[in-house]
Amino acid sequence: RDSGTLAGRHVVVTAGPTREALDPVRFITNHSSGRMGYALAAACAAQGAQVTLISGPTALDLPADVDRVDVQSAADMHAAVMAAIDTADVFIGAAAVADYRPATTAADKIKKSEGDTQLALTRTRDIIADVARDHPQVFTLGFAAETTDMENAARAKRERKGLAMIAGNVVGPEHAFGRDDNALFVVWDGGERELTQASKRELADQLVALMADRFSQTRAG
Ligand code: C5P
């Protein structure tokens, strides 16, 4: 059968970490470099897709032929995705979105006092799960970054979020975050495939080829 292509399709990609402000000078974030998401955006653009990259703060250069929307918080990222999703054919959630944000953001810098303190946190909204639920015509590709039992966690996460496809990877001090290589375990409805250790750019090309193939299959009915 023919391999799929994303030529002429609109692909929305999230990448990087989010920053959840405590006050004007402090925030909660994570170690995501944004490399995987940027590499996926570049791979989709190389196939001729129109790519909107919705990016948290990263140190990366914008890939050729990609439109970038810069965001900070999970709430900003959610709003930017929903503003772009109506025309999308594919959504790739590669961002490491914060699961919690401070319950309140102080207008002024929080002062220390002598004793210990506690931080109240509120759940953020799950962007990719909202896309899958409210825009079922969009082909969704998510990630599952896990420290243990990665394959089962990826399978379960795909089902729970209602995603077309998920790519699991092992994270931790020795793996993935901030590194230029990675390995992926890809799961979709009716199949699984391992993509062995390679540079994020090489893996992105392989994953986008696999995704384009599945996307074409679902569109062919
Ligand atoms: O639940 P977990 O954070 O492990 O899921 C990871 C996947 O869900 C990634 O594709 C990530 O981009 C996406 N996600 C999201 N919005 C959130 C949390 C995760 O889109 N608030």
Side-chain angles (χ1 to χ4, degrees):
R1 60 186 158 75
D2 288 348
S3 62
T5 174
L6 297 173
R9 301 296 189 169
H10 182 203
V11 180
V12 175
V13 183
T14 64
T18 64
R19 288 181 178 176
E20 310 304 323
L22 280 153
D23 69 15
V25 300
R26 303 184 181 99
F27 51 82
I28 297 172
T29 190
N30 59 65
H31 282 299
S32 171
S33 66
R35 282 201 194 101
M36 195 68 215
Y38 276 57
L40 288 161
C44 291
Q47 280 208 4
Q50 184 220 322
V51 182
T52 305
L53 175 60
I54 299 173
S55 178
T58 73
L60 302 174
D61 291 329
L62 183 62
D65 303 316
V66 169
D67 295 317
R68 182 167 64 193
V69 178
D70 289 313
V71 298
Q72 297 269 326
S73 68
D76 293 344
M77 187 175 277
H78 191 286
V81 168
M82 295 313 157
I85 206 71
D86 279 341
T87 57
D89 299 291
V90 173
F91 176 76
I92 302 175
V97 185
D99 295 318
Y100 296 90
R101 62 172 170 79
T104 59
T105 302
D108 294 310
K109 187 181 171 192
I110 300 166
K111 307 265 189 218
K112 67 168 101 38
S113 53
E114 285 307 311
D116 295 340
T117 187
Q118 295 220 322
L119 198 53
L121 300 174
T122 303
R123 280 291 301 269
T124 57
R125 287 159 77 185
D126 192 315
I127 300 167
I128 201 169
D130 283 1
V131 169
R133 186 193 61 220
D134 297 338
H135 300 270
Q137 79 287 359
V138 176
F139 186 99
T140 47
L141 168 63
F143 283 80
E146 312 288 341
T147 53
T148 56
D149 197 19
M150 180 272 284
E151 297 191 3
N152 284 323
R155 293 182 186 110
K157 198 161 284 188
R158 189 188 77 84
E159 301 250 339
R160 177 160 47 79
K161 298 194 187 214
L163 309 183
M165 183 176 265
I166 199 161
N169 64 304
V170 179
V171 292
E174 318 257 284
H175 302 275
F177 272 23
R179 284 181 50 155
D180 193 52
D181 63 350
N182 201 355
L184 298 174
F185 175 71
V186 188
V187 184
W188 61 93
D189 189 11
E192 299 182 345
R193 184 173 307 170
E194 228 168 293
L195 302 181
T196 55
Q197 197 79 19
S199 74
K200 286 183 178 175
R201 182 57 214 249
E202 266 174 72
L203 275 180
D205 284 338
Q206 293 178 39
L207 181 55
V208 166
L210 188 55
M211 183 191 73
D213 208 43
R214 293 308 310 158
F215 172 76
S216 299
Q217 298 283 309
T218 58
R219 294 306 134 125

